[in-house]
């Protein structure tokens, strides 16, 4: 192993971009982060500025290596993890955006997936891609661009259009237009990739009006995508040797390399993901199948996954829209103060419900309020909603995989909330393990790059139990069933409200 070598992980997520330095044992050395604008209009459309994000990627890389004079010369490779279904279109060559990136949370393509010619293909799409037909994924968003963005139409007509999720754009920005590419974990979330062949499907491209010549080639997850010095931030160019979707990156970062191992990421939204091995699994509706990763030309790994639209973002809503808190750090104490006799539920369906419901028309609501319901009770119900949603998905994945015993590896900023983690353990009826470092997406990308570059091994992914926080169930099966029943009644009401 390279003595003193550092691995640089870039985690480009929904709310911001992080640069993370790890040593070759997978230990976090330094980090830097910067937020970007959430561009939301009166229709609720959610967008990101591609130029802002690309500049931020360089900014955080420069900031993290500036923390020690030796860092710029010690970085030996880099890996990139990205928000996945957020999709962009730009001009080949100079990377000039045709439009803002449309964020995964954005529901503007809801009407497109309801069209008879699209909705009638839902079963075929599920069989081909492993995904439910939903505006959540990239393809319907691209169809919206094809119908509503003149620059997209013009570039497509001149065969100068580039299309991709954030990985393809940032690879091109960091390594040059010749590095334009993607890999299976990101490509499988577009609703355009054949899960078996791991190639773009011609009929799906036609259905969603996507010019196939504008899509990036799909390469191995640990490919040498290109060389970069992050626009001068590093002393010399290093191999960008891994690129992965953030949720799959977190699964890899937890060391969940065997079938049946599971993690939940508590970010803006949540991804509940289980490694299902090298065979494409069966899955019930409500749970989707995606590519996990494909390394070194070996067989691809597949995953079962459910995604939640509003997870820790509900805490931001409590602060910015409702004014109930001034900082997320207040929520744990408030939840513990809440009256145990209050039984209100908060269903955060602000942009519909994701897995396992896939009801884009559902509307957010607080139900079961009484005279006992105050600020603390609403804050507690909001936190509980995160744990309820994760539990719904995790139960389906566990049943589908026929796994008898499971523990949930947890990551993301909200894992610092001890009340939420204990609630998660109680509702799921399983141990929840939180490693000391919450930056698992970036770690997964960085360590995968280090392994591919030959400077570290899978040992760098192992979690030290002594350093982890663990939570075990503390309620009865009867109480768990009662709580889940009330939650499902609340969800049903939210769905009925939107129909």
């Amino acid at each position: 192993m390279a003595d003193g070598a550092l691995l640089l992980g870039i985690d480009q997520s929904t709310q911001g971009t992080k640069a993370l330095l790890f040593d070759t044992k997978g230990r976090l050395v330094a980090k830097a982060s910067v937020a970007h604008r959430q561009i939301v209009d009166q229709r609720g459309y959610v967008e990101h500025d591609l130029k802002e994000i690309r500049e931020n990627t360089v900014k955080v890389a420069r900031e993290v290596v500036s923390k020690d004079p030796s860092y710029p010369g010690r970085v030996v490779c880099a890996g990139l993890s990205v928000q996945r279904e957020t999709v962009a279109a730009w001009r080949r060559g100079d990377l000039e955006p045709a439009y803002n990136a449309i964020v995964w949370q954005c529901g503007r393509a809801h009407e497109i997936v309801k069209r008879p010619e699209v909705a009638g293909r839902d079963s075929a799409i599920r069989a081909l891609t492993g995904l439910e037909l939903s505006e959540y994924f990239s393809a319907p968003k691209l169809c919206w661009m094809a119908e509503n963005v003149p620059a997209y139409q013009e570039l497509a007509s001149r065969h100068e259009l580039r299309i991709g999720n954030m990985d393809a754009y940032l690879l091109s920005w960091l390594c040059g237009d010749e590095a334009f590419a993607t890999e299976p974990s990101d490509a499988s979330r577009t609703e355009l990739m054949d899960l078996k062949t791991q190639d773009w499907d011609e009929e799906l491209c036609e259905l969603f009006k996507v010019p196939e010549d504008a899509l990036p080639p799909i390469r191995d997850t640990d490919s040498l995508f290109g060389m970069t010095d992050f626009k001068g931030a590093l002393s010399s160019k290093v191999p960008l040797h891994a690129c992965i979707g953030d949720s799959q990156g977190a699964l890899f970062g937890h060391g969940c390399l065997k079938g049946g191992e599971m993690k939940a990421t508590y970010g803006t939204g949540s991804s509940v993901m289980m490694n299902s091995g090298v065979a494409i699994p069966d899955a019930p509706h409500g749970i989707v199948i995606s590519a996990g990763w494909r390394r070194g030309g070996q067989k691809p790994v597949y995953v079962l996954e459910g995604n939640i639209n509003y997870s820790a973002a509900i805490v931001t809503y409590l602060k910015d829209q409702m004014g109930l808190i001034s900082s997320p750090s207040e929520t744990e104490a408030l939840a513990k103060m809440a009256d145990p006799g209050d039984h209100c539920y908060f269903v955060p369906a602000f942009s519909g419900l994701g897995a396992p419901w896939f009801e884009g028309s559902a509307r957010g609501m607080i139900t079961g309020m009484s005279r006992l319901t105050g600020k603390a009770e609403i804050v507690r119900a909001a936190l509980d909603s995160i744990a309820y949603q994760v539990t719904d998905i995790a139960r389906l994945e566990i049943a589908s995989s026929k796994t008898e015993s499971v523990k949930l590896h947890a990551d993301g900023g909200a894992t610092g909330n001890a009340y939420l983690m204990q609630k998660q353990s109680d509702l799921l009826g399983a141990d929840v393990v939180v490693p000391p470092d919450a930056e698992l997406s970036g770690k997964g990308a960085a360590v995968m790059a280090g392994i591919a570059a030959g400077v570290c091994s899978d040992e760098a992914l192992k979690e030290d139990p002594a350093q982890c926080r663990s939570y075990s169930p503390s309620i009865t099966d009867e109480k768990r069933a009662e709580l889940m029943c009330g939650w499902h009644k609340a969800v049903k009401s939210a769905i009925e409200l939107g129909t």
Side-chain angles (χ1 to χ4, degrees):
M1 305 302 172
D3 185 36
L6 296 175
L7 319 173
L8 174 58
I10 298 294
D11 181 16
Q12 200 297 295
S13 65
T14 310
Q15 297 293 328
T17 305
K18 297 175 184 175
L20 308 151
L21 289 178
F22 299 89
D23 65 19
T24 55
K25 295 184 183 296
R27 297 174 298 203
L28 183 65
V29 174
K31 69 176 179 179
S33 63
V34 63
H36 56 256
R37 291 176 300 144
Q38 305 299 310
I39 305 169
V40 184
D41 69 11
Q42 69 278 6
R43 297 167 294 183
Y45 289 5
V46 190
E47 299 175 357
H48 288 161
D49 182 338
L50 283 167
K51 290 184 177 180
E52 180 185 11
I53 287 176
R54 77 188 193 189
E55 295 299 335
N56 283 354
T57 302
V58 173
K59 180 179 180 180
V60 292
R62 183 172 289 115
E63 182 178 341
V64 78
V65 299
S66 71
K67 293 179 182 290
D68 186 286
S70 72
Y71 288 170
R74 290 167 58 192
V75 175
V76 295
C77 62
L80 174 66
S81 77
V82 295
Q83 52 172 320
R84 297 172 303 169
E85 300 82 7
T86 296
V87 70
W90 63 94
R91 186 165 57 207
R92 175 169 51 85
D94 64 5
L95 278 67
E96 182 66 23
Y99 192 74
N100 283 333
I102 300 178
V103 180
W104 58 269
Q105 289 175 313
C106 186
R108 73 182 69 192
H110 181 65
E111 177 273 330
I112 290 170
V113 300
K114 295 299 183 184
R115 292 174 182 173
E117 66 273 20
V118 178
R121 297 283 306 279
D122 60 344
S123 295
I125 289 171
R126 166 81 181 192
L128 191 67
T129 68
L131 306 178
E132 301 283 358
L133 174 62
S134 174
E135 65 273 18
Y136 180 94
F137 302 109
S138 309
K141 296 178 174 68
L142 288 171
C143 187
W144 184 92
M145 279 197 202
E147 296 176 353
N148 294 278
V149 179
Y152 180 105
Q153 299 161 357
E154 182 182 351
L155 289 172
S157 69
R158 299 204 308 257
H159 300 283
E160 294 181 359
L161 182 67
R162 294 284 209 209
I163 290 169
N165 292 351
M166 293 306 302
D167 61 323
Y169 188 75
L170 288 178
L171 286 172
S172 300
W173 170 245
L174 293 170
C175 303
D177 186 61
E178 65 276 8
F180 177 58
T182 188
E183 52 72 51
S185 72
D186 282 294
S188 67
R189 305 296 291 182
T190 62
E191 210 150 61
L192 296 170
M193 189 190 88
D194 184 322
L195 201 58
K196 295 184 181 68
T197 66
Q198 300 203 345
D199 287 323
W200 303 118
D201 182 80
E202 184 178 348
E203 290 186 6
L204 289 180
C205 288
E206 183 177 351
L207 179 67
F208 291 109
K209 303 179 181 178
V210 175
E212 199 171 348
D213 66 353
L215 289 167
I218 302 171
R219 302 175 62 188
D220 282 358
T221 309
D222 63 351
S223 294
L224 174 53
F225 290 96
M227 303 291 291
T228 181
D229 61 3
F230 288 84
K231 308 295 182 181
L234 306 182
S235 299
S236 60
K237 289 188 176 183
V238 300
L240 206 165
H241 226 315
C243 182
I244 193 166
D246 52 8
S247 295
Q248 286 93 332
L251 188 73
F252 190 85
H254 277 292
C256 294
L257 306 184
K258 297 178 182 178
E261 295 182 321
M262 171 185 278
K263 69 89 193 177
T265 297
Y266 296 80
T268 303
S270 274
S271 160
V272 186
M273 182 177 284
M274 176 180 281
N275 185 323
S276 60
V278 296
I280 298 177
D282 293 324
H285 282 286
I287 299 298
V288 302
I289 308 165
S290 298
W293 49 78
R294 190 179 70 210
R295 295 199 287 163
Q298 298 176 0
K299 289 183 178 181
V301 168
Y302 294 94
V303 295
L304 294 167
E305 183 179 15
N307 293 94
I308 298 162
N309 292 358
Y310 272 80
S311 180
I314 187 65
V315 177
T316 303
Y317 179 81
L318 294 177
K319 178 173 72 75
D320 295 344
Q321 274 71 42
M322 296 190 77
L324 294 180
I325 57 173
S326 57
S327 168
S329 62
E330 299 172 21
T331 58
E332 182 176 339
L334 282 167
K336 291 177 178 178
M337 289 168 48
D339 193 316
D342 182 80
H343 303 295
C344 74
Y345 287 87
F346 196 141
V347 184
F350 302 116
S351 58
L353 288 169
W357 313 101
F358 286 98
E359 288 288 349
S361 60
R363 290 293 172 262
M365 67 187 306
I366 302 174
T367 185
M369 295 176 70
S370 70
R371 287 295 298 271
L372 296 175
T373 307
K375 178 170 77 170
E377 290 70 32
I378 291 174
V379 169
R380 181 183 63 187
L383 288 179
D384 288 353
S385 75
I386 301 172
Y388 281 121
Q389 292 178 94
V390 169
T391 298
D392 278 335
I393 295 169
R395 283 181 168 184
L396 283 176
E397 292 180 1
I398 292 167
S400 179
S401 67
K402 299 179 177 59
T403 300
E404 293 184 4
S405 178
V406 70
K407 65 180 176 181
L408 183 69
H409 299 264
D411 64 272
T415 59
N417 190 308
Y419 169 84
L420 174 59
M421 293 297 97
Q422 183 59 55
K423 190 74 174 187
Q424 187 65 79
S425 178
D426 288 343
L427 292 177
L428 185 57
D431 289 346
V432 174
V433 179
V434 183
D437 172 27
E439 307 295 350
L440 273 297
S441 297
K443 177 181 178 179
V447 172
M448 184 180 289
I451 294 169
V455 297
C456 64
S457 70
D458 288 358
E459 291 292 313
L461 299 170
K462 287 189 175 180
E463 296 173 350
D464 180 359
Q467 299 295 319
C468 296
R469 287 179 288 119
S470 296
Y471 302 83
S472 298
S474 63
I475 62 174
T476 65
D477 291 344
E478 291 75 17
K479 183 62 176 178
R480 184 176 302 115
E482 176 189 334
L483 292 171
M484 293 304 299
C485 181
W487 164 251
H488 291 146
K489 287 179 180 178
V491 169
K492 183 179 179 182
S493 296
I495 293 171
E496 290 174 347
L497 183 66
T499 56

